[in-house]
């Protein structure tokens, strides 16, 4: 590889996909927790982190929890999902979006993805309500920090009397029609996992405008203790509250959210400009109505420029071809140079655990296809592949998007990617 032109040396320190970026105030708040001995799930950092989240996002209540997954679990419980209930869920997302449905005994039914924002396709959602008219809960995520078609999704939910849970774990700070993601769901969730736009090392929050719901989650997340002199329990409880130490980090990070977004946006734009002559596109967004937080920059390779790539359950093979490339070749090449990319999140309907669940495309109902399908060319009536999620999974990848990557390092990453197409 790269025989004719300048050889690059591997990066001395790893270029990460997206790693934590600390600034200093975080440590002060952690120290404060230590020095005042609020080393628990109560304390000023928790109160302040919740206040900052409400102020930034524009919701009335934020409940600080141990993880975004815990927030989604509490959201599913608030929505009243019962064993055997079907719940419509985003398909191309991280499994934490959908697992909480199963914690409550619900059955996820996956809704295909659209090409404009790589999120839940409103047309497929509408189709799903035709096929399963009794569904009362929808869980939708904003992938990679790009707002989905949330207005349309909301109005479809309203028309069918369904509650909307918004998974804004990856999209904190992103807006749709000027409004922050995290305010569109009947209940919403954010995450402070170590790879997110701001982090507590872990942690998450449930967001709502409903005081009673916020109080319920505060109670459930602290073992559902009743107001009694002893441990009194009428409901099932959870140990889901955020620690005051973690909250100190979150509290310190909030002031840097906009700075991180600006850095991520610059990274996205540099990739877009630097790769413009290749047969690739960046992950798209609705520029008229939305402003992503640009958490991860991604690429989609044009179909004609894909070399052959076949993925099994846990292995992959590809055949290099002049003028063409594939996500695996690019990811393996980046890894050789000590840079971390990642495949697109593999759609849920293709995950072994969810393979037997329902899956709805805008063309109608389908079940997961076999792996042979992954490399195949099954087309819908509009000439496009039936399953948008698998098509993006096959051709797309997440690029190193760490906000500590220098311009020079990114230029080298761009050059490495270009040479994969030589
Ligand atoms: C889309 C999405 N939903 C939910 C989560 C879960 O958040 P957490 O890791 O804080 O539990 C994550 C990330 O981890 C995510 O990317």
């Amino acid at each position: 590889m790269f025989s004719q032109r300048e050889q690059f040396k591997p990066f001395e320190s790893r270029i990460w996909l997206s790693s934590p970026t600390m600034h200093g105030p975080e440590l002060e708040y952690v120290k404060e927790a230590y020095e005042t001995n609020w080393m628990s799930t109560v304390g000023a950092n928790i109160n302040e982190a919740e206040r900052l989240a409400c102020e930034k996002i524009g919701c009335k209540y934020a409940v600080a929890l141990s993880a975004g997954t815990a927030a989604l679990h509490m959201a599913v419980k608030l929505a009243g999902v019962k064993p055997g209930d079907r719940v419509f869920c985003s398909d191309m997302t991280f499994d934490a979006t959908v697992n909480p449905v199963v914690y409550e005994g619900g059955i996820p039914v996956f809704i295909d993805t659209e090409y404009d924002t790589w999120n839940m396709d409103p047309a497929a959602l509408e189709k799903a309500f035709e096929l399963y008219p009794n569904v009362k809960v929808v869980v939708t995520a904003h992938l990679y920090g790009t707002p989905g078609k949330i207005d349309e999704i909301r109005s479809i939910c309203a028309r069918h009397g369904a509650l909307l849970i918004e998974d804004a774990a990856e999209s904190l700070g992103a807006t749709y029609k000027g409004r922050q993601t995290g305010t569109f769901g009947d209940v919403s969730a954010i995450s402070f996992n170590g790879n997110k736009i701001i982090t507590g090392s872990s942690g998450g929050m449930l967001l709502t405008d409903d005081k009673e719901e916020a109080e319920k989650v505060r109670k459930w997340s602290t073992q559902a203790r009743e107001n009694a002199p002893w441990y009194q329990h009428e409901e099932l409880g959870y140990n889901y509250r955020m620690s005051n130490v973690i909250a100190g980090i979150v509290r310190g990070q909030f002031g840097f959210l906009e700075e991180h977004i600006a850095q991520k946006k610059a990274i996205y734009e540099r990739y877009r400009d630097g790769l413009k002559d290749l047969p690739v596109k960046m992950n798209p967004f609705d520029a008229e109505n939305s402003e992503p937080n640009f958490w991860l920059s991604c690429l989609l390779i044009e179909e004609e420029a894909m070399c052959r790539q076949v993925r099994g359950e846990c292995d992959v093979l590809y055949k290099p071809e002049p003028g063409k490339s594939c996500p695996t070749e690019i990811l393996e090449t980046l890894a050789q140079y000590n840079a971390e990319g990642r495949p697109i999140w593999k759609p849920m309907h293709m995950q072994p655990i969810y393979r037997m669940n329902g899956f709805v495309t805008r063309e109608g109902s389908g079940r997961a296809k076999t792996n042979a399908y992954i490399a195949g060319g099954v087309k819908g009536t509009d000439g496009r592949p039936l399953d948008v999620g698998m098509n993006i999974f096959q051709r797309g990848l997440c690029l190193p998007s760490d906000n500590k990557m220098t311009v020079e390092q990114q230029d080298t990453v761009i050059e490495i990617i270009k040479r994969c197409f030589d």
Side-chain angles (χ1 to χ4, degrees), residues 20 73 79 91 118 135 218 243 246 263 271 332 352 366 368 374 412:
H73 185 190
D91 181 51
W118 294 7
V135 167
R218 277 180 215 286
S243 138
I246 300 291
Q263 290 164 338
Y271 276 130
E332 288 183 359
I374 300 176
T412 306

Side-chain angles (χ1 to χ4, degrees), residues 341-371:
R342 191 150 305 171
I344 296 296
W345 296 184
K346 181 174 172 178
M348 288 299 116
H349 77 276
M350 288 301 287
Q351 300 287 355
I353 182 176
Y354 291 125
R355 191 157 280 171
M356 297 312 287
N357 289 49
F359 169 59
V360 184
T361 67
R362 55 169 62 194
E363 312 263 324
S365 173
R367 278 203 187 276
K369 318 291 186 304
T370 64
N371 269 322

Side-chain angles (χ1 to χ4, degrees), residues 138-422:
V138 175
V139 188
T140 193
H142 303 285
L143 196 76
Y144 304 138
T146 300
K149 298 184 174 180
I150 196 72
D151 260 4
E152 281 178 69
I153 290 170
R154 254 165 74 95
S155 60
I156 294 168
C157 288
R159 215 167 334 109
H160 293 278
L163 290 172
L164 180 64
I165 297 174
E166 184 190 13
D167 179 355
E170 298 179 2
S171 67
L172 178 59
T175 58
Y176 184 84
K177 296 189 178 166
R179 197 169 136 188
Q180 291 278 323
T181 58
T183 60
F184 292 94
D186 291 286
V187 226
S188 303
I190 52 173
S191 165
F192 301 108
N193 177 299
N195 64 9
K196 296 294 182 289
I197 191 101
I198 59 169
T199 182
S201 72
S202 64
M205 285 184 189
L206 177 129
L207 313 174
T208 174
D209 282 341
D210 186 318
K211 188 169 185 220
E212 215 176 294
E213 285 187 346
E215 280 170 0
K216 267 190 201 166
V217 174
R218 277 180 215 286
K219 180 183 169 194
W220 292 341
S221 64
T222 49
Q223 303 291 18
R225 288 164 60 177
E226 297 299 329
N227 190 10
W230 43 81
Y231 288 137
Q232 178 81 6
H233 302 283
E234 293 173 9
E235 298 179 275
L236 193 59
Y238 303 83
N239 184 6
Y240 274 177
R241 196 75 164 123
M242 185 184 279
S243 138
N244 194 46
V245 178
I246 300 291
I249 310 174
V250 173
R251 182 181 179 185
Q253 285 261 289
F254 252 106
F256 299 93
L257 175 58
E258 293 309 321
E259 183 181 316
H260 289 190
I261 293 173
Q263 290 164 338
K264 296 271 191 181
K265 184 175 182 179
I267 289 170
Y268 179 94
E269 289 174 347
R270 281 200 293 272
Y271 276 130
R272 186 197 55 202
D273 298 345
L275 298 168
K276 68 177 188 317
D277 296 329
L278 289 184
V280 300
K281 286 201 177 67
M282 297 297 293
N283 45 330
F285 62 95
D286 174 358
E288 211 172 295
N289 291 311
S290 75
E291 181 65 21
N293 70 5
F294 300 96
W295 174 54
L296 292 189
S297 289
C298 306
L299 269 194
L300 190 68
I301 301 172
E302 305 286 357
E303 279 187 58
E304 313 73 60
M306 278 282 292
C307 66
R308 193 164 159 71
Q309 170 190 255
V310 181
R311 284 174 165 149
E313 274 317 334
C314 297
D315 302 294
V316 58
L317 284 173
Y318 73 93
K319 201 170 162 206
E321 241 185 282
K324 297 186 175 188
S325 191
C326 65
T328 307
E329 180 176 35
I330 297 173
L331 291 170
E332 288 183 359
T333 310
L334 286 171
Q336 281 166 18
Y337 287 89
N338 205 16
E340 185 191 29
R342 191 150 305 171
I344 296 296
W345 296 184
K346 181 174 172 178
M348 288 299 116
H349 77 276
M350 288 301 287
Q351 300 287 355
I353 182 176
Y354 291 125
R355 191 157 280 171
M356 297 312 287
N357 289 49
F359 169 59
V360 184
T361 67
R362 55 169 62 194
E363 312 263 324
S365 173
R367 278 203 187 276
K369 318 291 186 304
T370 64
N371 269 322
Y373 169 74
I374 300 176
V378 181
K379 306 279 182 190
T381 49
D382 59 359
R384 284 180 144 178
L386 272 179
D387 170 349
V388 176
M390 281 309 287
N391 191 270
I392 296 174
F393 175 63
Q394 170 73 355
R395 296 191 286 126
L397 70 145
C398 306
L399 298 169
S401 304
D402 197 57
N403 47 350
K404 293 171 295 308
M405 173 169 61
T406 64
V407 173
E408 294 71 35
Q409 287 171 327
Q410 193 180 350
D411 285 345
T412 306
V413 169
I414 289 169
E415 200 53 36
I416 291 168
I417 296 168
K418 279 186 183 168
R419 294 198 191 178
C420 289
F421 288 87
D422 280 355

